[in-house]
Amino acid sequence: MSHAFRWLASVNGKANVPEGKPIRKLPKEINIAANASGRELYDRLAQKTGYSIHRLRVTKGSDGSLVPNGKETVYDTGLRDQSIIYVKDLGPQIGWRTVYIIEYLGPLIFPALVLYVLRPYLYFNFEQPLPEPSNLQAIICALLTVHFIKREIETIFIHRFSLATMPARNIVKNCTHYWILAGANITYWVFRPDSPAATENVHPILLYTGLALFVFGELANLNAHLVLRDLRKPGTTERGIPKGFGFDLVTCPNYMFEVLAWIGIYFVTGLSWSVLLFIVVGTLQMMSWAAKKERRYRKEFGDRYKRKKYVMLPGIY
């Protein structure tokens, strides 16, 4: 048995129609079996329009809800004979894995580049010749490099993404946080010849507390990522309920441990305001993500999921 589904190409400004550019090759009607999966519907639309399935977004005309690109049948999504669906062109896409690799590349190369290569050019207004970088600045450079090498390794070998792509135009916005705040901003101020980190008189409490927090945060964050990876089978978007170290305490311990690692770097730098700014901006963003994940877990798992009192920072949020 097959059903005929009708849809309208998106038109700007028209009520109940998603915004976006009209899809020139979008047909007026298509026949597809009731037990066909959402993925088959997307594949058929991709063949007709010449667009990648990741560039298309399909919603029901009845309530505007998303028709998933997955194993669920079109009948189970609520579509029936002569149902209207809207097909939106999301624009050119880029893979999430590629996005992450590019995001972390900037702050990965900035520390060594600024401290050892660009130093005489960036700090030309200081008395010449410039003093050699302090041992503490070299340690900070190593910590930043290790952190972002870890990020790149996790991106390539560990992370499994629920969404394959994102709009390509967002790459600039996504990179701004890391390339500017974590890359240029931190390295310029921390590696200045007059930076608090330029001294050889290191505050031992800040240094060793910071190093301990960094090592613990990085290892615990890696463990959380491994737990999350194992919840999702390769090639699928289905996931299980996360359990393990930190997950009984907050919804997203990976974010919590990320913050701890950066507080460690903050201590090692001698409480640099540039690192603190990055921590504050990043924490606010992760708090938003954590709240969304908590809501998603409750919706997805229902009574099987134990609601968390705190989503990211125990006693705070």
Side-chain angles (χ1 to χ4, degrees):
M1 179 181 179
S2 64
H3 289 305
F5 296 115
R6 296 187 298 112
W7 57 81
L8 301 176
S10 55
V11 180
N12 287 330
K14 187 172 181 179
N16 299 322
V17 179
E19 293 185 355
K21 297 180 180 179
I23 303 174
R24 185 168 56 87
K25 295 183 179 180
L26 187 68
K28 297 294 183 181
E29 184 174 290
I30 192 171
N31 291 314
I32 191 168
N35 61 355
S37 66
R39 177 57 182 265
E40 291 178 72
L41 175 60
Y42 276 81
D43 285 339
R44 186 77 64 84
L45 290 170
Q47 292 172 2
K48 296 289 185 181
T49 61
Y51 287 170
S52 163
I53 59 172
H54 303 302
R55 183 168 174 163
L56 302 174
R57 184 174 187 269
V58 181
T59 55
K60 292 188 291 185
S62 57
D63 58 10
S65 62
L66 179 69
V67 178
N69 175 13
K71 295 180 180 179
E72 186 179 11
T73 68
V74 291
Y75 188 87
D76 289 338
T77 66
L79 294 175
R80 298 295 183 267
D81 286 339
Q82 300 301 311
S83 288
I84 294 177
I85 60 176
Y86 296 119
V87 183
K88 181 179 181 180
D89 175 14
L90 298 175
Q93 301 289 296
I94 185 172
W96 270 107
R97 197 178 306 277
T98 302
V99 171
Y100 277 34
I101 290 173
I102 295 173
E103 280 182 359
Y104 303 145
L105 183 61
L108 171 60
I109 64 177
F110 265 96
L113 190 64
V114 170
L115 188 60
Y116 298 114
V117 179
L118 300 180
R119 182 178 174 83
Y121 307 103
L122 288 176
Y123 308 121
F124 62 89
N125 55 325
F126 286 84
E127 184 177 350
Q128 304 294 324
L130 292 175
E132 291 296 313
S134 69
N135 290 330
L136 184 58
Q137 287 176 320
I139 291 173
I140 296 167
C141 178
L143 295 183
L144 293 171
T145 303
V146 166
H147 175 77
F148 286 105
I149 286 178
K150 169 181 170 289
R151 283 288 192 89
E152 295 284 27
I153 291 174
E154 289 173 337
T155 297
I156 297 171
F157 298 107
I158 295 178
H159 292 327
R160 291 173 183 159
F161 300 93
S162 56
L163 295 177
T165 64
M166 63 168 277
R169 64 180 179 276
N170 289 349
I171 186 65
V172 175
K173 178 183 70 176
N174 282 43
C175 286
T176 297
H177 175 69
Y178 288 102
W179 282 63
I180 295 181
L181 286 184
N185 183 56
I186 288 178
T187 55
Y188 175 80
W189 294 104
V190 171
F191 295 152
R192 279 170 61 99
D194 61 351
S195 163
T199 181
E200 295 296 342
N201 298 318
V202 180
H203 194 297
I205 295 179
L206 286 178
L207 174 62
Y208 294 116
T209 300
L211 289 174
L213 285 174
F214 176 81
V215 172
F216 172 77
E218 292 291 317
L219 293 177
N221 175 266
L222 173 60
N223 177 73
H225 287 160
L226 291 172
V227 170
L228 292 171
R229 179 201 62 180
D230 292 339
L231 296 176
R232 181 180 294 138
K233 296 179 180 179
T236 71
T237 59
E238 299 175 2
R239 64 173 67 85
I241 299 175
K243 297 178 182 179
F245 183 68
F247 285 96
D248 293 332
L249 188 62
V250 295
T251 307
C252 299
N254 51 318
Y255 296 155
M256 176 179 67
F257 297 135
E258 175 84 3
V259 173
L260 283 179
W262 276 101
I263 290 176
I265 294 176
Y266 175 58
F267 284 174
V268 174
T269 61
L271 310 181
S272 169
W273 68 266
S274 60
V275 177
L276 180 61
L277 175 63
F278 178 74
I279 293 173
V280 170
V281 174
T283 299
L284 291 175
Q285 179 62 74
M286 287 187 286
M287 288 167 66
S288 174
W289 291 337
K292 291 179 181 178
K293 285 192 176 182
E294 173 68 19
R295 290 193 296 269
R296 190 177 69 207
Y297 286 158
R298 293 184 206 168
K299 180 179 179 181
E300 185 175 353
F301 301 116
D303 294 337
R304 294 188 296 129
Y305 176 72
K306 181 180 178 181
R307 179 174 178 175
K308 303 297 190 301
K309 185 177 181 179
Y310 301 104
V311 298
M312 185 175 136
L313 301 174
I316 300 175
Y317 184 78

